[in-house]
Amino acid sequence: ERTQTYLLESQNRVRLMALIHEKLYHSQDLARIDFNDYLLSLVAMLFRSYGTHSNAVSWEVHVDRVFLNIDTAIPVGLLVNEFVSNSLKYAFPGNRPGKIHVDFRTAPNDEYLLACRDDGVGLPGDFDLDKVSTLGLRLVKILTSQLGGELTFRRNGGTEFEITFKAQRERERR
C-alpha cells in the first residue's frame, strides 16, 4: 500500500510536470514568459488536479509583472508545483479550512523572491530542512540550487517556504 501511494504521487508529479511544460511551450516567446498568467493558471490547475473544489481551501497568487526566460520559468514552476501540492495533500486534513498563498516578486539587487505559504497544520516540530528524505523536498532543494537560490522555511500559523535567487540573464539562443 505504501509503494502504491508513492507510485501514485510520482505519477501525479510527472503528469503535472508535463502540464507545466505544455503550458510553457504554448507561450509565443520562450525568452519572455508572462509569469503572472503562468502562475495563476498553474495554481488553478493544481487545485483542479487535486480535486479541491470545496470552499474549505482557497488560494491567492500575487505576482509582480515579470517576464522570465524558460530556463528560469521551468524550475520556478516546478517549485510552486511542489509547495502547493504539499499544502493540498498535508496542510488541511479532515476538510480543515484554510488558504494557500503564492507570491513572486522582484527584490533589490536584481533578485527574485518566491514565497509559498499556507495556514494549515504546519510542519512537525522536529522538521529539519537539512535532513529531508521525501522526494518532493529533495526536488525543492535541487531546483533551488539550480537557480543559485537560498531556501528558508518558517512555522508561523502554518508553513512558509521562501526562495531568493538572482535573476538569470538570458543566454544567447542560436
Side-chain angles (χ1 to χ4, degrees), residues 1-173:
E1 187 175 311
R2 187 176 184 192
T3 302
Q4 186 177 16
T5 300
Y6 286 137
L7 288 173
L8 286 173
E9 285 181 10
S10 293
Q11 182 182 22
N12 275 343
R13 185 173 281 117
V14 169
R15 189 172 49 100
L16 286 168
M17 285 180 186
L19 289 171
I20 289 168
H21 283 75
E22 181 181 334
K23 174 81 174 149
L24 286 173
Y25 289 117
H26 280 89
S27 262
Q28 290 184 357
D29 183 358
L30 295 180
R32 292 183 39 86
I33 296 163
D34 184 340
F35 215 61
N36 183 53
D37 289 345
Y38 172 64
L39 277 187
L40 286 170
S41 62
L42 174 61
V43 173
M45 179 179 60
L46 285 165
F47 267 70
R48 281 191 308 275
S49 168
Y50 280 90
T52 310
H53 298 292
S54 72
N55 293 330
V57 180
S58 61
W59 56 277
E60 196 171 293
V61 174
H62 294 284
V63 181
D64 284 354
R65 189 74 175 161
V66 175
F67 292 87
L68 299 177
N69 65 39
I70 195 162
D71 295 329
T72 303
I74 288 175
V76 175
L78 292 171
L79 285 163
V80 170
N81 175 43
E82 288 302 318
F83 292 136
V84 173
S85 295
N86 281 341
S87 289
L88 289 170
K89 288 189 291 189
Y90 306 116
F92 307 104
N95 291 325
R96 175 188 168 131
K99 194 169 203 172
I100 297 172
H101 300 266
V102 177
D103 296 308
F104 187 79
R105 57 185 178 271
T106 56
N109 302 320
D110 205 24
E111 291 185 324
Y112 293 115
L113 175 71
L114 171 65
C116 297
R117 67 186 181 283
D118 64 58
D119 58 3
V121 296
L123 291 168
D126 62 349
F127 177 80
D128 185 347
L129 190 56
D130 293 326
K131 296 179 182 175
V132 295
S133 61
T134 64
L135 176 61
L137 286 176
R138 284 194 326 234
L139 182 59
V140 164
K141 290 176 76 172
I142 290 166
L143 291 166
T144 301
S145 176
Q146 181 181 334
L147 290 168
E150 182 179 325
L151 172 65
T152 58
F153 84 95
R154 289 186 274 290
R155 296 177 187 91
N156 53 354
T159 302
E160 179 176 7
F161 284 93
E162 191 174 276
I163 298 172
T164 305
F165 63 96
K166 288 273 188 196
Q168 296 180 359
R169 296 289 172 223
E170 182 180 344
R171 294 184 210 140
E172 238 180 86
R173 298 181 187 269

